[in-house]
Amino acid sequence: MASENRHEFDVTMATFSRPRYELIATGQVHDGEEEVAEYFRASRAAFPDQRNEVHAVHHADDAVIVEFDLLGTHDGPLGGIPPTGQAFRCPMVAFFFFEPDGDGIVCERVYFDSATILRQLKVTAP
């Protein structure tokens, strides 16, 4: 997560044995290096200052669970939503699942409330 804050996505990608992001609130799945790289590009185009603030890290048998706030300013297009210039802060929980041998992440699954972000961006949901 620190490498994401620094926008060192090659470092982030190297923590995965197979990159996969699942964004539960939006139903988006980015599977494989190419799709995850595009997710990084698109999300940072919309929120160039996107960053996370970690609050707690929990350990499970096959996962690490992280509670954090995601922050950013909407300075670029987000799907069909033009930039609003508004900032957001949203509490989130991410599950990092690992290979059975513990060597490499196979999935980051993120839970959050997209309405929290849209409200702060002053965007009304359709």
Side-chain angles (χ1 to χ4, degrees), residues 20-48:
R20 181 179 173 93
Y21 275 70
E22 298 175 358
L23 305 177
I24 302 304
T26 63
Q28 295 173 308
V29 174
H30 307 284
D31 193 20
E33 192 167 336
E34 191 173 301
E35 288 185 22
V36 171
E38 175 56 22
Y39 161 70
F40 288 149
R41 188 207 61 74
S43 61
R44 284 8 176 240
F47 303 99

Side-chain angles (χ1 to χ4, degrees), residues 9-121:
F9 301 118
D10 57 330
V11 174
T12 306
M13 204 73 79
T15 64
F16 286 85
S17 59
R18 175 165 171 77
R20 181 179 173 93
Y21 275 70
E22 298 175 358
L23 305 177
I24 302 304
T26 63
Q28 295 173 308
V29 174
H30 307 284
D31 193 20
E33 192 167 336
E34 191 173 301
E35 288 185 22
V36 171
E38 175 56 22
Y39 161 70
F40 288 149
R41 188 207 61 74
S43 61
R44 284 8 176 240
F47 303 99
D49 64 344
Q50 182 174 310
R51 64 210 178 275
N52 59 72
E53 294 178 358
V54 174
H55 300 298
V57 178
H58 310 280
H59 300 274
D61 290 342
D62 65 346
V64 171
I65 302 123
V66 180
E67 297 176 71
F68 65 100
D69 283 352
L70 189 69
L71 301 90
T73 307
H74 189 202
D75 287 333
L78 175 65
I81 303 170
T84 64
Q86 299 295 313
F88 78 92
R89 174 184 289 267
C90 184
M92 300 190 174
V93 174
F95 287 73
F96 294 85
F97 295 100
F98 290 82
E99 293 279 3
D101 62 6
D103 190 27
I105 301 169
V106 294
C107 179
E108 179 179 345
R109 184 174 298 145
V110 186
Y111 293 86
F112 63 99
D113 175 29
S114 56
T116 295
I117 296 171
L118 293 174
R119 183 174 56 254
Q120 292 175 54
L121 298 182

